[in-house]
Amino acid sequence: MTPARPVPDALVYDRVSLRHDGAAADAVGPVSLALREGERVLLLGPSGAGKSTLLLAATGLFPRSIPGACTGGIVLRGHPVTSRTPAEWADTCGFLFQDAAQTLAGFTVRDEISFGPENRCIAAARIPDLVAEAMRQAGIPQIWADRRISTLSGGERQSVALAALLAQGAPITLADEPAASLAPKAARRMADLLLAPGRTTMVVEHRPGPILDHIDRCVALGRDGRVLAEGAPHEVMARDGAALAEAGIALPLATRIHLDLPDLIDPRLPLRDALLRVPPAQARRLHDAVLPAPIPAGEILTTLDGADCAPAFGPVVLRDVSLTLRAGEVVAILGPNGAGKSTLAACLAGLLPPRAGRRTGAPGAVAFQNPEAHFSQESVRAEIAGLCHAPGRVAQIFDRWTLGEVAHQHPFTLSQGQKRRLSLALLAEADRWPVLILDEPTAGLDRAAETVLGRRIRALAREGRALAVITHDMDFALSVADRAVLVHRGAVQFDGPCPALMRDAARLSLAGLEPPEAAPVLNWLAATC
Amino acid sequence: MLRGFHPLPKLALCLAWIVASLIVFRLSFQVGLFVAATLLLLLDARVPPRRVLLLMVPFALFGFGFLTTSVLFRAESGFALQMAREQGAAPDVAPGLVLFFRVLACGMVSAVFALTTDPGQFVRALMQHLRLPAPLGFALMQSMHLVPDLRAEMLQLRMARAIRLGRPLRRVPAPGEAFALAIPLLAYAIRRATRAALSFEARGLQPGRARTHLPQPPIRRRDWVLLGVGGGVLALVLAVLPPGFA
């Protein structure tokens, strides 16, 4: 009897180093790792560690379509990646990109989802059924089939990209921060589908907490682009948590609290169980670990009074909005994808006048979702120099936002996280704006940068500024905001203390949101105090 | 009604009328075609009258030089006279007026096609029936996404610029601002096109590679009837026109 041939790994990187054209150092590597058939691997790493480049190299897109150099060997299902073109590998390996808005191919939702099957030469008669099934799986209403892609919000486009990936039917999936712009409920649906048991998936994600239970193995890259830690997720978090935190990688809340309060929380236990062992006398320490220190609110800086908010060329998306922003206050603006949060931001800042009602108060600045909108100079150094601060303060800004290493680079060549840091630094460090509105500021940021950002937000509030933070990251909102505003169905549905909203699972669920990871801590605090 | 027809017979019919407009040098024909196309836009495509008027503006501006020379100065430009001579115009016709209405008629016929045709379906029909290469077809679809996205990007750039300069956002960009926005917008378009091309390749699109097509509405009998009726009317009009055209 002939022995069964071993099944080759789905994807193998063997001492792979990747370097972009013109770069002085490798973007990543040397890295050796394997993705086994039916395995779900989470690739972690700080911003700029080369995670996206590593994914693109899996089918040869790097260096074939993105100029650069690759050393070492990459093998897909037993074949060298160079044996086929990236397009030919589409039957084996499907991609879900970070920014679906810019990568969709079709004119309508139906066009988009059928794109992959058409390229795979699936019989035309089978394609409509494939499209309908993929839409059903991704939770997209069938009546959207004829909707134009350009009418969809960013989150809706990401859901369509997921449906297109499912219809493509490739057995291996590589996903680069697929849920970064999704509201929590949509993000969970995406995780459930992408990381269903038995699927072969490698996913890059900055926030591992919500998906950790769907993962078989974690691989963490360090700042030098080499493997820092590898293993079963809970093992890695318990064993290497401190090293990962040191490298700027986000950790699940239980691990983070354990690192901060090692005598209170046992990282080996689920958070709820670990909380049962915390003595009530320690409530203050736990409170301080998850909630921001209070800042006394000052005078009202900006008011919207019965305002109807509309984008510049579009219809009214929010009606009768009445809000105030006070000095020293941080407000989280929450809501599902397409609820009108960005439009509200522009109205609050005074950039778009309300169609009805009125806005009064100081002008504000918005840090847009696309950080590139804020760049106008040829280097990071020139951008920061444009703020006209004294040399000492400039050095402090580079240090504070970890931009010193890329000071000579053109802003457009930075990684997404670095771009985000620079755009926020340009607004936050300008002393001109009493009101600052940050639109999805944590997208593309690693944990280290997110922590720095959170601290800066609170520091700016303490200096007397009013800040509004639009985010889908409920834990980040909870960690920086005193107050939360929930926007849904064309109106403000809630305006009150942030922890109160975060504990209201029913209200959050109605708006397509989910409670933060820290919700058990909030409930424990409410029951104990 | 026109929205329900297949794009390709409709395109053929519109092109036939545009070609007729280009070769017939008669004022009555041009005015008649212009009026018919405008009525189709108003009554069939249900385009609001204000939008139809706005649509006419660029075409009218293009032909306005001929009109003013002909009507206000009672003279004809050299180009108009040469066109009239080459196309065998009737002696009593004002060439400038014919050229003015020709531009309007061609513009309105184009608008009838553009406003009653789904662009995605049109591109798909070109790929399926006329062998337009798929990379080109999907690049066309991408460019159609790009137009509204460029507008949104421009607004965001303008807002970011207003924030940077500490000025209120102007309703219409000043010439200096428009110039300053041109390069970032071009960079945005290039970056976006690069990302889209990468995504196309990752998802299996490659020049020359065989692919199937999502089933599209076929060319039905009613489409052939439209083509026949439209072509027949054109033939009849051309037949009954008095001599004096090429």
Side-chain angles (χ1 to χ4, degrees), chain A residues 65 104 106 111 372 432, chain B residues 124 142 145 164 191 195 201:
Chain A
S65 303
L104 298 183
D111 285 333
E372 292 170 2
R432 187 188 290 162
Chain B
R124 281 198 165 271
Q142 262 294 319
H145 290 316
R164 201 165 49 241
R191 276 199 312 281
R195 285 171 194 165
E201 193 176 4

Side-chain angles (χ1 to χ4, degrees), chain A residues 331-379:
Chain A
V331 178
I333 299 177
L334 308 168
N337 295 113
K341 302 186 291 294
S342 300
T343 305
L344 176 60
C347 277
L348 265 174
L351 291 166
L352 289 175
R355 295 277 169 90
R358 66 194 192 113
R359 176 198 179 277
T360 50
V366 180
F368 294 108
Q369 279 185 41
N370 174 14
E372 292 170 2
H374 295 280
F375 305 150
S376 61
Q377 304 295 324
E378 72 283 359
S379 72

Side-chain angles (χ1 to χ4, degrees), chain A residues 65 85 87 102-106 111-112 118-119 121-122 124 148-149 312 366 370 372-374 412 432-433, chain B residues 119 124 141-142 145 153 155-156 160 163-164 191 195 199-201 203-204 206 209-215:
Chain A
S65 303
T85 64
Q102 300 194 8
T103 53
L104 298 183
D111 285 333
E112 182 58 40
E118 287 175 321
N119 291 336
C121 271
I122 304 273
R148 291 188 181 185
I149 297 289
V366 180
N370 174 14
E372 292 170 2
H374 295 280
F412 283 179
R432 187 188 290 162
W433 308 108
Chain B
R124 281 198 165 271
M141 290 200 210
Q142 262 294 319
H145 290 316
E153 179 70 13
L155 180 67
Q156 200 171 82
I163 292 168
R164 201 165 49 241
R191 276 199 312 281
R195 285 171 194 165
S199 155
F200 288 1
E201 193 176 4
R203 294 167 65 194
Q206 187 174 305
R209 198 162 173 232
R211 68 193 304 278
T212 48
H213 292 281
L214 178 73

Side-chain angles (χ1 to χ4, degrees), chain A residues 2-15:
Chain A
T2 18
R5 290 176 63 186
V7 179
D9 284 335
L11 173 62
V12 177
Y13 293 92
D14 183 17
R15 286 163 289 167

Side-chain angles (χ1 to χ4, degrees), chain A residues 256-470:
Chain A
R256 286 207 311 267
I257 299 179
H258 168 74
L259 289 174
D260 291 344
L261 312 167
D263 54 323
L264 284 191
I265 298 288
D266 185 342
R268 293 165 301 182
L269 295 176
L271 187 56
R272 277 172 217 278
D273 298 342
L275 285 168
L276 293 175
R277 301 182 179 191
V278 178
Q282 300 293 334
R284 171 50 58 186
R285 289 175 66 200
L286 206 51
H287 176 281
D288 293 347
V290 294
L291 293 171
I295 300 169
E299 55 173 331
I300 292 175
L301 292 180
T302 297
T303 303
L304 282 181
D305 187 11
D308 286 357
C309 305
F313 304 104
V316 171
V317 291
L318 289 172
R319 289 192 186 278
D320 198 21
V321 176
S322 293
L323 280 181
T324 56
L325 287 181
R326 288 174 175 275
E329 194 175 38
V330 181
V331 178
I333 299 177
L334 308 168
N337 295 113
K341 302 186 291 294
S342 300
T343 305
L344 176 60
C347 277
L348 265 174
L351 291 166
L352 289 175
R355 295 277 169 90
R358 66 194 192 113
R359 176 198 179 277
T360 50
V366 180
F368 294 108
Q369 279 185 41
N370 174 14
E372 292 170 2
H374 295 280
F375 305 150
S376 61
Q377 304 295 324
E378 72 283 359
S379 72
V380 174
R381 188 176 299 284
E383 294 279 5
I384 300 290
L387 295 172
C388 300
H389 291 310
R393 172 95 187 264
V394 168
Q396 195 184 24
I397 293 171
F398 277 117
D399 191 40
R400 190 182 279 160
W401 296 91
T402 341
L403 291 166
E405 284 179 16
V406 293
H408 62 284
Q409 278 186 231
H410 193 285
F412 283 179
T413 64
L414 302 180
S415 76
Q416 189 65 12
Q418 289 162 340
K419 282 178 189 169
R420 180 79 55 194
R421 291 208 297 273
L422 175 60
S423 68
L424 294 176
L426 290 174
L427 295 181
E429 299 293 347
D431 299 327
R432 187 188 290 162
W433 308 108
V435 175
L436 275 175
I437 298 158
L438 315 183
D439 195 349
E440 292 290 354
T442 57
L445 290 192
D446 57 30
R447 177 63 192 169
E450 197 181 295
T451 307
V452 169
L453 175 67
R455 285 197 199 119
R456 284 304 304 150
I457 287 174
R458 296 302 295 178
L460 290 165
R462 271 193 296 276
E463 286 167 16
R465 299 204 212 184
L467 290 105
V469 179
I470 298 173

Side-chain angles (χ1 to χ4, degrees), chain A residues 64-405:
Chain A
R64 193 183 162 110
S65 303
I66 300 170
C70 170
T71 56
I74 301 174
V75 178
L76 250 178
R77 286 202 147 182
H79 302 280
V81 72
T82 47
S83 63
R84 299 171 81 193
T85 64
E88 285 166 346
W89 281 118
D91 61 359
T92 307
C93 198
F95 277 94
L96 198 54
F97 289 97
Q98 205 168 0
D99 187 1
Q102 300 194 8
T103 53
L104 298 183
F107 195 70
T108 61
V109 170
R110 184 185 280 116
D111 285 333
E112 182 58 40
I113 300 173
S114 59
F115 183 73
E118 287 175 321
N119 291 336
R120 288 189 65 183
C121 271
I122 304 273
R126 276 188 60 210
I127 296 177
D129 289 341
L130 279 176
V131 171
E133 176 58 18
M135 288 176 73
R136 191 191 61 72
Q137 284 184 12
I140 298 172
Q142 297 291 329
I143 50 168
W144 281 19
D146 290 318
R147 269 186 78 179
R148 291 188 181 185
I149 297 289
S150 55
T151 65
L152 304 178
S153 72
E156 290 167 346
R157 290 184 195 198
Q158 197 73 22
S159 298
V160 171
L162 171 65
L165 175 85
L166 295 173
Q168 189 179 330
I172 301 170
T173 299
L174 302 176
D176 191 357
E177 290 195 61
S181 58
L182 289 183
K185 224 173 189 172
R188 179 158 292 279
R189 189 187 301 123
M190 179 165 285
D192 289 344
L193 283 168
L194 271 185
L195 301 168
R199 278 191 74 94
T200 309
T201 305
M202 187 183 285
V203 60
V204 169
E205 194 56 77
H206 272 305
R207 291 185 61 241
I211 60 168
L212 218 54
D213 290 337
H214 296 66
I215 293 295
D216 299 311
R217 195 156 53 94
C218 272
V219 178
L221 299 180
R223 290 198 186 280
D224 59 357
R226 298 176 187 220
V227 174
L228 177 69
E230 186 175 357
H234 292 287
E235 251 178 60
V236 167
M237 295 304 160
R239 188 186 63 217
D240 303 308
L244 299 184
E246 178 69 27
I249 296 170
L251 302 172
L253 186 79
T255 313
R256 286 207 311 267
I257 299 179
H258 168 74
L259 289 174
D260 291 344
L261 312 167
D263 54 323
L264 284 191
I265 298 288
D266 185 342
R268 293 165 301 182
L269 295 176
L271 187 56
R272 277 172 217 278
D273 298 342
L275 285 168
L276 293 175
R277 301 182 179 191
V278 178
Q282 300 293 334
R284 171 50 58 186
R285 289 175 66 200
L286 206 51
H287 176 281
D288 293 347
V290 294
L291 293 171
I295 300 169
E299 55 173 331
I300 292 175
L301 292 180
T302 297
T303 303
L304 282 181
D305 187 11
D308 286 357
C309 305
F313 304 104
V316 171
V317 291
L318 289 172
R319 289 192 186 278
D320 198 21
V321 176
S322 293
L323 280 181
T324 56
L325 287 181
R326 288 174 175 275
E329 194 175 38
V330 181
V331 178
I333 299 177
L334 308 168
N337 295 113
K341 302 186 291 294
S342 300
T343 305
L344 176 60
C347 277
L348 265 174
L351 291 166
L352 289 175
R355 295 277 169 90
R358 66 194 192 113
R359 176 198 179 277
T360 50
V366 180
F368 294 108
Q369 279 185 41
N370 174 14
E372 292 170 2
H374 295 280
F375 305 150
S376 61
Q377 304 295 324
E378 72 283 359
S379 72
V380 174
R381 188 176 299 284
E383 294 279 5
I384 300 290
L387 295 172
C388 300
H389 291 310
R393 172 95 187 264
V394 168
Q396 195 184 24
I397 293 171
F398 277 117
D399 191 40
R400 190 182 279 160
W401 296 91
T402 341
L403 291 166
E405 284 179 16

